[in-house]
Structure formats: C-alpha cells, structure tokens
Amino acid sequence: MSNERILNTLRAPHISEKAARLAESNQYVFVVAPEATKADVRAAVEKMFDVKVEQVNLVNAKGKVKSFRFRAGNRQGKRKAYVRLAEGQTIDVAAKA
C-alpha cells in the first residue's frame, strides 16, 4: 500500500471522551475515507504505526441538521473506524496526527 493511499484512507484520529476511554482498552478511533473498507483500514494502520490489528469496525455517522438564519442545512457526515490492536501494542495518535 502506497503512502498516498494510506494518507487518503486514514484522514485523522477522532479525539473525544469516548475515544479516550476506548484507548485505555487498546481500541483507537480514526476518521477514514467514505470508500474505505475494513481491509484498507487494517492495512493502513498496520503499515503506518507498525502494529498488529485484531479487529476493525466501521461506522457511518450522519451529519446533524442545523439551522442558519432560519434555513435548515445538513453538516457533512463522516465514516469512523474503531480499530482494536493486539495485546501489548499501543499507538500514540497525538504524535503521528
């Protein structure tokens, strides 16, 4: 997998309270490309961070409906990947992001 494809697949780490709690149990959350598959995410994380991935779950999060000046509009949705690593492996997402 080329570096360009890795960077296109893994857009950014998703930073939230839930993601911080999951990091304690060896799971990490990334925002990924809408067309990314589980195999793409697994290969990208393994190559970029030099770790062994056990499991990948993908979630499509719909954008919220917000109003601006009395007009309704939609925020853009995103696709998130929950990645579980093998026992004893860690990622420092703040350093690579």
Side-chain angles (χ1 to χ4, degrees):
M1 187 174 245
S2 68
N3 286 339
E4 183 180 343
R5 175 126 184 200
I6 289 172
L7 293 175
N8 189 33
T9 301
L10 294 178
R11 300 278 168 92
H14 183 76
I15 308 298
S16 66
E17 289 182 20
K18 181 179 179 181
R21 276 183 306 183
L22 288 173
E24 295 171 0
S25 62
N26 226 16
Q27 271 190 312
Y28 299 91
V29 185
F30 295 96
V31 177
V32 297
E35 64 274 358
T37 63
K38 289 183 178 185
D40 291 341
V41 173
R42 175 188 294 266
V45 170
E46 285 181 347
K47 181 151 178 149
M48 187 171 193
F49 297 103
D50 294 324
V51 293
K52 176 78 173 106
V53 175
E54 280 189 357
Q55 185 178 6
V56 176
N57 291 327
L58 294 175
V59 176
N60 290 323
K62 293 206 172 219
K64 292 182 178 182
V65 176
K66 295 285 190 172
S67 61
F68 178 72
R69 294 195 180 185
F70 307 109
R71 290 183 176 215
N74 286 338
R75 289 195 176 169
Q76 189 174 12
K78 58 185 153 187
R79 186 171 176 114
K80 295 189 286 186
Y82 290 84
V83 178
R84 178 177 292 147
L85 301 181
E87 195 64 37
Q89 307 241 332
T90 59
I91 293 176
D92 187 9
V93 290
K96 289 277 187 174

